Amino acid sequence: MAGSLIGTQVRRVEDRLRGASTYVGNLQVDGLLQLAFVRSPLAHATITRIDAGAALAAPGVVSVYTAHDLRIPRHHTFVRVNDTCLRPPLAEGKVRFAGDAVAVVVAETVAAAADAVELVDIDYEPLPAVTDPEAALADGAPLQFEELGSNLAAGARDPDDVDPLAGADVVVRARMENQRVAVVPMEGNAITVVPGGEDDEHQLTVHVSTQMPHLLRNDAARLFELDPQRLRVVSPHVGGGFGGKAGLAPEHSVAIAAARVLDRPVSWVETRSENMTAMHGRAQIHYAELGLRHDGTMVGLRIRVVGDSDAYAGFGGALAMGPTRVMAQGVYRVPALSFAAAAALTNTAPVGAFRGAGRPEAAAMLERIMDMGAMALEIDPAEIRRRNFIRPDQFPFTTEVGTSYDSGDYALALDEALRLGGYDELRAEQARRREAGERRVLGIGLCSYVEITGGGGGGEFGAVTVHADGTATARVGTSAHGQGHATSFAMLVADSLGIDVGSVHFVQSDTAVIPTGGGTGGSRSLQLGGNAVRAAADEVLERARELAASLLEADVDDIVAADGRVGVGGVPGRSFG
Amino acid sequence: MVEVDLDTGHVTPLRHIAVDDCGRVLNPMIVEGQQHGGAAQGIAQALWEQVVYDAEGTLLSATLADYAMPSAADLCSFEVANTETPTPLNPLGVKGIGESATVGSTPAVQNAVVDALSHLGVRHLDLPCTPQRVWRAIRDAESGTLADPWREPPPVFATLPVRGAAPAPEAEGADI
């Protein structure tokens, strides 16, 4: 594609410093009230008394609400795992993790709200807590939801009729912890809810730091029984998500409820301390067993995973049953695979997605056990991988768990990494240091992986409009929060229409102007949103070429777009701008 | 590639080479940026970051002073490259890159730490490979008291419903 923009290093159009950022915390709204949450210091306790009297009397305080006052239905965030364990956005009767919200203060300023939080007097009767997911599944563990009868939020196993390790010459085994990590986006969560009048087009406008504005709108509309078309959700500049900003969080529903009760705009901008307990990821324990022949080829894998599903059956715990299982076989030919996963309720903060969401956990488990196999058989870790890779001629390839791989050349990528690294020289240096008895030793680690991107499939909204001044507007249902879509998607439009990247306006993340959208997560945006925008641009171009051909009495095949004009190729006088 | 200090257990990342394949590359600079950020987060999981609760459920890693998120000074320069295998599944032939480097980097670095100690008999170290954990493994290896990395899984697995016997939770199909 001569002269194509595709594949070129176009600088990000997002990074120009103009002092015009629109983060939720920057939003100026007349009469805006501030929320601050009163959170439990205990991991598990019965609430015996809440006294908000002193807080209500404090200067600048407008109101203090508990679950009893707002009566918000219990709900999930992003994905439902177990309906018995839905979370009350403000605790009802008991708290289940340190940081669980018990009450919310509404005040004229952030400082007044924060000060009044200290004045809300809550009595707790402590209950035994369990934070370890394996201990939570043991007999006699403290129960999060007594009515559930155990702390098992969800789980499934394969039937016992296949022994994946049968016929192996060597079996290597390990229990592996894939630790809980915090999502830590640069900007924490934030929401501003602005009520509209009865005659306004939108009953409520919600500005929120989220990856998926349409999902949040739909979940909020369902929860509060509102017409989704009268609820506008805008996701302005967002300082990173990494999986932690998907769906309707409890603080979101509290903010919406408070704005409705007061009929005044309210805002909540999370503190960093709150964010450290807002969303965690990973949090899996793997029991991995790999059977191998003497030549290093794989016979089978048996995987059992405990996922930590936090205090309210957070979806992170159940990712073990989904993406981790789906990717358990990785890049290898595995003749037999048995997989089981259990999601455990613990007295801990929400566990959801973190960059990769279940897939990195599978890769870590598989690549670690692969290395243990290599060590047991004294085969080089690169060589044992090569002996087991799915070969390029085997694509499309369907794995033991039914995942379909479209394409790949795993040896190509591994060999390129080894070439770039100078693998043989590194191994020689490692051996030299060992033989010399040096106390600073070298380690060389490999990982070959494959992952699902855009795994939810489906479609995405994309639209392109061309304006009389020669510019174009691209609208899309994905929702960039740092990824650079304004640049990437403008490149696709500019490349198609023959205009400058700077002539493309980019519109996203506002349910009032984008009819539908899946947002951004799961590495989906370019595949789904990018292709949608490109198809729209190509369609616009096709119509322009047909129109130009008709007006110029030329053959449509001779019409090209370049330099902002459409006309007969190579004939400057015969074109339209 | 990492360097491990056998006296302190401290791990220093020396080189990090990522070869990713996201199909056709639209903007190499943006792809490289995703590879860099993903590698930084993945290496952080391999070596440093960890949410820790005490037995009573108090969060011990509640601030960024306690939660060992790295800065650029803790990391090495990244060497990133791409192979391009376009997917037949969409017109542009593109695949996602947003999470790739995170997937690959954590096990590569964890494997490097274990590899560094393999001559001592170490076969596994849990994530994150903190100096404390690494130092203990070195000490145990040198005194011949390395623990077996395996133990039997909890009994819960035997009683789980067989897949397909009950409706699957939505999270099985989660895409994020």
Side-chain angles (χ1 to χ4, degrees), chain A residues 7 10 157 175 177-180 182 339 355-356 359 368 406 430 433-434 439 441 443-444 449 523, chain B residues 2-4 6 20 26-27 34 41 45 49 51 67 87 98-99 111 115 123 126 149 160 163 176:
Chain A
V10 174
R157 67 183 171 95
R175 174 190 182 275
E177 289 184 16
N178 200 286
Q179 85 272 30
R180 179 189 276 250
F339 190 96
R355 207 168 186 172
R359 311 192 301 278
R368 194 73 274 291
D406 61 343
Q430 178 184 48
R433 290 197 192 189
R434 284 177 178 176
R439 297 299 285 171
V441 292
I444 303 143
Y449 74 95
S523 301
Chain B
V2 299
E3 189 174 73
V4 179
L6 293 179
D20 292 298
L26 172 60
N27 185 331
Q34 289 287 354
Q41 287 188 317
Q45 191 193 359
E49 292 186 14
V51 171
Y67 184 79
T87 175
E99 296 155 300
N111 281 342
D115 180 69
R123 291 293 172 264
D126 273 323
L160 293 176
R163 192 178 320 286
I176 184 166

Side-chain angles (χ1 to χ4, degrees), chain A residues 349-362:
Chain A
V351 182
F354 174 63
R355 207 168 186 172
R359 311 192 301 278
E361 293 89 320

Side-chain angles (χ1 to χ4, degrees), chain A residues 288-553:
Chain A
E289 299 170 274
L290 169 63
L292 295 153
R293 292 185 197 84
H294 288 305
D295 66 2
T297 53
M298 297 167 84
V299 170
L301 266 172
R302 180 157 63 206
I303 310 297
R304 283 168 283 188
V305 185
V306 178
D308 193 329
S309 211
D310 71 61
Y312 294 101
F315 69 93
L319 291 173
M321 301 168 66
T324 305
R325 173 174 172 267
V326 162
M327 296 318 302
Q329 183 171 338
V331 292
Y332 304 116
R333 301 186 307 274
V334 181
L337 193 153
S338 159
F339 190 96
L345 296 162
T346 57
N347 292 110
T348 62
V351 182
F354 174 63
R355 207 168 186 172
R359 311 192 301 278
E361 293 89 320
M365 174 275 299
L366 184 59
E367 289 302 283
R368 194 73 274 291
I369 201 74
M370 206 61 189
D371 261 24
M372 290 182 70
M375 287 180 187
L377 292 168
E378 296 182 351
I379 299 175
D380 183 272
E383 180 56 26
I384 198 170
R385 284 171 170 79
R386 281 192 205 98
R387 290 181 193 177
N388 289 286
F389 280 148
I390 299 163
R391 295 184 304 268
D393 63 10
Q394 290 180 293
F395 291 97
F397 183 89
T398 302
T399 68
E400 283 298 295
V401 296
T403 310
S404 176
Y405 293 174
D406 61 343
S407 59
D409 190 337
Y410 307 130
L412 179 71
L414 177 63
D415 288 341
E416 178 65 1
L418 298 179
R419 185 188 69 77
L420 290 170
Y423 187 63
D424 293 339
E425 290 77 27
L426 295 181
R427 284 286 176 210
E429 171 64 10
Q430 178 184 48
R432 188 198 65 74
R433 290 197 192 189
R434 284 177 178 176
E435 279 157 26
E438 292 186 15
R439 297 299 285 171
R440 295 176 79 85
V441 292
L442 276 190
I444 303 143
L446 305 178
C447 168
S448 292
Y449 74 95
V450 62
E451 65 153 347
I452 290 183
T453 61
E460 187 50 275
F461 171 82
V464 171
T465 310
V466 174
H467 309 292
D469 64 359
T471 64
T473 297
R475 293 185 296 141
V476 67
T478 50
S479 192
H481 43 280
Q483 290 84 354
H485 297 177
T487 306
S488 301
F489 292 8
M491 287 172 71
L492 291 171
V493 173
D495 184 69
S496 171
L497 300 182
I499 60 176
D500 292 337
V501 169
S503 298
V504 182
H505 312 289
F506 180 65
V507 178
Q508 59 160 13
S509 315
D510 181 346
T511 64
V513 292
I514 306 290
T516 66
T520 286
S523 301
R524 70 188 296 274
S525 294
L526 184 58
Q527 287 168 91
L528 298 170
N531 274 290
V533 165
R534 177 62 177 218
D538 287 348
E539 200 176 314
V540 167
L541 177 66
E542 207 43 49
R543 287 193 203 166
R545 291 176 67 218
E546 284 166 11
L547 200 58
S550 163
L551 291 168
L552 296 168
E553 297 177 350

Side-chain angles (χ1 to χ4, degrees), chain B residues 2-160:
Chain B
V2 299
E3 189 174 73
V4 179
D5 187 324
L6 293 179
D7 294 319
T8 64
H10 184 78
V11 178
T12 308
L14 293 184
R15 289 180 70 190
H16 193 86
I17 299 158
V19 181
D20 292 298
D21 192 322
C22 58
R24 192 173 176 201
V25 171
L26 172 60
N27 185 331
M29 185 193 68
I30 285 179
V31 168
E32 202 174 305
Q34 289 287 354
Q35 288 175 290
H36 281 225
Q41 287 188 317
I43 295 169
Q45 191 193 359
L47 296 180
W48 303 299
E49 292 186 14
Q50 185 173 27
V51 171
V52 183
Y53 282 97
D54 71 11
E56 283 75 45
T58 302
L59 184 65
L60 301 180
S61 54
T63 74
L64 289 177
D66 306 301
Y67 184 79
M69 195 176 83
S71 71
D74 299 303
L75 295 158
C76 54
S77 286
F78 302 141
E79 302 165 54
V80 299
N82 284 276
T83 56
E84 289 196 36
T85 315
T87 175
L89 297 180
N90 64 64
L92 290 171
V94 295
K95 307 174 188 177
I97 189 65
E99 296 155 300
S100 293
T102 328
V103 181
S105 55
T106 304
V109 174
Q110 182 187 20
N111 281 342
V113 178
V114 178
D115 180 69
L117 307 179
S118 61
H119 64 300
L120 303 176
V122 174
R123 291 293 172 264
H124 178 65
L125 280 167
D126 273 323
L127 296 167
C129 302
T130 56
Q132 185 182 31
R133 268 198 181 130
V134 173
W135 180 82
R136 278 194 180 147
I138 295 164
R139 183 197 60 185
D140 291 350
E142 290 179 342
S143 63
T145 57
L146 268 174
D148 185 346
W150 177 251
R151 73 178 193 223
E152 286 301 317
V156 66
F157 292 108
T159 59
L160 293 176

